[in-house]
Amino acid sequence: MRGRSDGLQKNRLLTFVGVVAVFLVFLYVYFGSKNSGESAIEYGSRSLRKLGSSYLGGDEETDIGNKQDESSIKFGLEDGDYGITPKSFPVCDDRHSELIPCLDRHLIYQMRLKLDLSLMEHYERHCPIPERRYNCLIPPPSGYKVPIKWPKSRDEVWKANIPHTHLAHEKSDQNWMVERGEKIIFPGGGTHFHYGADKYIASLANMLNFTNSNLNNEGRLRTVLDVGCGVASFGAYLLSSNIIAMSLAPNDVHQNQIQFALERGIPAYLGVLGTKRLPYPSRSFELAHCSRCRIDWLQRDGILLLELDRLLRPGGYFAYSSPEAYAQDEEDLRIWRAMSALVERMCWKIAAKMNQTVIWVKPLTNDCYMEREPGTQPPLCRSDDNPDAVWGVPMEACITRYSDHDHRTRGSGLAPWPTRSTAPPPRLADFGYSNEMFEKDTELWRRRVENYWNLLSPKIQLDTLRNLMDMKANLGSFGAALREKDVWVMNVVPEDGPNTLKLIYDRGLIGTVHNWCEAYSTYPRTYDLLHAWTVFSDIEKKGCSAEDLLIEMDRMLRPTGFVIIRDKQPVIEFVKKYLPALHWEAVATADSTSDTDQDGDELVFVIQKKLWLTSESFRDSE
């Protein structure tokens, strides 16, 4: 009897355990599928990604790598053909509120990339593979406020938007920035201009004997590259002289300096003089500037100085404010002598030298290069080298000679600013474009921009927009049409298309090369308006993810900012499905017949990003 009783109890126990196990499996399947529907989305035939988690800590076993070809979006298909339209995207952890996917130090560390720190490779772009990307919305920091408007933002920003005050303490004796209550104040100082960037800029103009102490030299000096820019006060004060600077700095120990610059409404870009060419074509800048930028210009046979040489126009200047230019200790003197010898072999000459600053000038023609002794270092670049190829192209320690045209004309042949913005640039001929084609494009985009402003007018005031990006700039006519507005435009040219960026710089505008299958080199929440003309159609052809691009656009866009998509109708319909998930709302839709003389098969879709905040979950603050 005892054996039978034990057996009966054992059977009952097994039955009970089985029932419990089935019940638990049911709960897991039911709630697991429910939760995945709320916090994750399956994109077509792609395996599910761990959304909201690090691309470094994702599921290593998901079979994604073999399915990328199947994952490309074909606009215009029915919902059932390509996955589920999301009701929401998950929100990234608060610690990722400043995520820059291709400049993520955690990615570099965890992928154990073998980088040469002495060459600054760890500050160059290293993008996550698609299956390791974040696929969540970047939350604003706690207490985030709509940014202060330009021009007031030049001098102050909300501390809550960039809650980093270490630079205010570290640079307290140099007037970079000051913490004051809820704001961070920018007095306009710098390491070598304690008394203000405006006075420093005027002193540079006086050194060069420019009229009225104005560095723009009657419109002939327009584009500037500020290397190691700090919080970009130099670039900020140049704007009042109708000079636009590309303020450049890496995401280094002075973290957030570029974030502060963009929050202030100053053109800026995250980049470094490392091993790759900067993403700008040859002969883009009239002036390069380094104020205590702490760059070893003598390293690797002067390769970094030769990169500046590639970027300077004929007769362009390099303003260098550093102890080496004036100090008398043994080490500074050694550097000065070596640097002077290097630039002399590069055919640069001293245009002016005073106190802490020296200004060198680049030659107007190739004559000096041709007159150098055989074997002189650095050498001239190979005749087959393309000085305008920049995307992922290694720097070379060689001198870029001028084109035959520039050599003959003794310069770039550019009109003064602002005429330059609409005058056909000489390098048009490089693309086979005629002056008539250029003028037609300029007029076309003038009408289109006017129409955009009419569509935006119910939502914007005169000071609503400041930082704009044209994601596919072509000839730069979108940016040129905005010349009278108090805005600036980052003109982006696709890395695999015609490299029209040199035409954009010739127009007195600025921009960069980029591949929209990857994340852009900027902090979250840095642009007020993104203009995407056929960008989605382009990445579809490449087989890249349109959802990833939408999430990246959301990352770059400031809360309450706008997106203008100009594309085919299937693209517009595709984007509309994602508006609730992104917390975007439609502002206006229009066909293109009102602003173009083309066949009108493109639609214009204007969207605004809502301001939402998050603690454990996000909420709409409106």
Side-chain angles (χ1 to χ4, degrees), residues 42-58:
E42 185 175 358
Y43 294 153
S45 59
R46 284 192 291 186
S47 299
L48 190 64
R49 290 193 271 186
K50 284 195 170 180
L51 306 185
S53 64
S54 169
Y55 43 71
L56 300 168

Side-chain angles (χ1 to χ4, degrees), residues 43 45-46 67-73 82 543-545 547:
Y43 294 153
S45 59
R46 284 192 291 186
K67 297 189 178 182
Q68 290 305 301
D69 290 340
E70 301 175 27
S71 69
S72 58
I73 298 300
Y82 268 85
C544 301
S545 168
E547 294 96 339

Side-chain angles (χ1 to χ4, degrees), residues 33 36-38 40-45 48 73 78-89 547 574 577-578 581:
S33 62
S36 67
E38 293 174 347
I41 171 176
E42 185 175 358
Y43 294 153
S45 59
L48 190 64
I73 298 300
E78 297 296 326
D79 287 355
D81 292 331
Y82 268 85
I84 306 166
T85 301
K87 294 182 178 178
S88 66
F89 281 118
E547 294 96 339
F574 168 83
K577 298 174 185 177
Y578 286 83

Side-chain angles (χ1 to χ4, degrees), residues 523-538:
Y523 283 88
R525 303 172 300 280
T526 48
Y527 284 89
D528 296 304
L529 185 146
L530 305 175
H531 176 241
W533 171 48
T534 67
V535 175
F536 284 90
S537 291
D538 290 343

Side-chain angles (χ1 to χ4, degrees), residues 483-619:
R483 190 189 74 202
E484 300 297 331
K485 306 286 186 183
D486 209 1
V487 302
W488 65 272
V489 179
M490 182 66 79
N491 294 279
V492 181
V493 171
E495 50 83 26
D496 61 346
N499 193 358
T500 54
L501 191 57
K502 58 186 177 182
L503 303 181
I504 289 167
Y505 274 94
D506 285 356
R507 300 183 77 165
L509 310 173
I510 62 169
T512 185
V513 174
H514 187 62
N515 178 358
W516 285 115
C517 293
E518 300 178 358
Y520 184 79
S521 294
T522 193
Y523 283 88
R525 303 172 300 280
T526 48
Y527 284 89
D528 296 304
L529 185 146
L530 305 175
H531 176 241
W533 171 48
T534 67
V535 175
F536 284 90
S537 291
D538 290 343
I539 69 161
E540 178 196 5
K541 296 171 186 174
K542 294 182 179 181
C544 301
S545 168
E547 294 96 339
D548 285 346
L549 180 57
L550 284 170
I551 291 172
E552 171 63 4
M553 292 170 70
D554 183 80
R555 185 186 72 86
M556 295 190 295
L557 194 63
R558 284 173 167 175
T560 72
F562 296 88
V563 177
I564 299 176
I565 298 176
R566 186 184 198 95
D567 217 314
K568 309 292 185 183
Q569 183 171 352
V571 172
I572 303 302
E573 296 304 319
F574 168 83
V575 173
K576 284 181 178 179
K577 298 174 185 177
Y578 286 83
L579 297 186
L582 293 163
H583 311 289
W584 294 0
E585 62 181 3
V587 172
T589 306
D591 62 38
S592 58
T593 56
S594 60
D595 59 21
T596 177
D597 55 2
Q598 296 177 346
D599 56 7
D601 62 344
E602 295 175 352
L603 292 179
V604 176
F605 187 35
V606 182
I607 305 158
Q608 185 173 25
K609 177 179 177 177
K610 297 180 182 180
L611 172 60
W612 54 268
L613 304 173
T614 180
S615 51
E616 292 182 359
S617 61
F618 61 81
R619 59 180 173 81

Side-chain angles (χ1 to χ4, degrees), residues 154-155 186-188 197-198 201 232-241 264:
R154 186 194 74 174
D155 303 323
F186 300 89
D198 52 348
I201 291 166
S233 289
F234 180 72
Y237 282 82
L238 283 174
L239 289 165
S240 60
S241 299
R264 296 171 70 185

